[in-house]
Amino acid sequence: MISPLRRYSILLCYFLFICFLFFLPGKAFPQTGNWMDAIQFDKWVHLGIFALLTYITCWTMNVKKFKFFVLICMIAAAYGLTVEFIQDHFIPNRSLDLGDWAADIAGSVAGTWCWSAWRGKK
């Protein structure tokens, strides 16, 4: 069994890691090729990052009630919009992309749904 302190430490480390990634300047990322643009690779990355963020959050807090799933999704969506705003106004060569925010929301819902489905099987 993993202690609550260790769970919160894992959540904090993941959160700090994604903050680092989100706030890198645009030139730190390689230019994508046509195939990556065609499959909207950036959106899939956002979806995965937020799915894992909300899953780890639910795991850390051992969420069981629907109202807490909704609250976690709302907080994650607010964080995603905040990231987009910061990128647009403060990070060189980055901009606000509502498509990224939509992927953040979809990932948040997917992560909480996966936790709920896994939790239901226990």
Side-chain angles (χ1 to χ4, degrees):
M1 182 105 185
I2 298 175
S3 72
L5 179 60
R6 189 165 294 204
R7 287 180 185 226
Y8 280 98
S9 297
I10 291 167
L11 175 60
L12 178 62
C13 287
Y14 182 70
F15 180 75
L16 293 174
F17 174 69
I18 64 173
C19 283
F20 172 76
L21 292 177
F22 284 139
F23 301 137
L24 286 172
K27 65 182 177 182
F29 296 98
Q31 296 298 320
T32 58
N34 289 339
W35 71 273
M36 291 180 112
D37 292 338
I39 63 168
Q40 296 291 312
F41 182 75
D42 179 48
K43 307 310 180 246
W44 289 103
V45 169
H46 277 261
L47 190 140
I49 286 171
F50 275 80
L52 189 55
L53 175 63
T54 56
Y55 186 91
I56 292 172
T57 302
C58 290
W59 170 72
T60 299
M61 298 178 177
N62 199 20
V63 175
K64 298 175 185 171
K65 295 186 178 183
F66 180 75
K67 66 181 177 181
F68 293 114
F69 289 121
V70 172
L71 181 62
I72 288 169
C73 283
M74 290 174 58
I75 291 169
Y79 169 65
L81 185 59
T82 302
V83 164
E84 293 299 321
F85 178 81
I86 291 170
Q87 286 178 343
D88 191 47
H89 289 86
F90 301 107
I91 309 297
N93 303 315
R94 301 289 291 265
S95 62
L96 187 142
D97 184 345
L98 293 178
D100 286 350
W101 187 47
D104 298 344
I105 294 169
S108 299
V109 171
T112 55
W113 180 84
C114 287
W115 169 255
S116 176
W118 183 83
R119 183 88 183 122
K121 291 182 180 182
K122 282 182 90 179

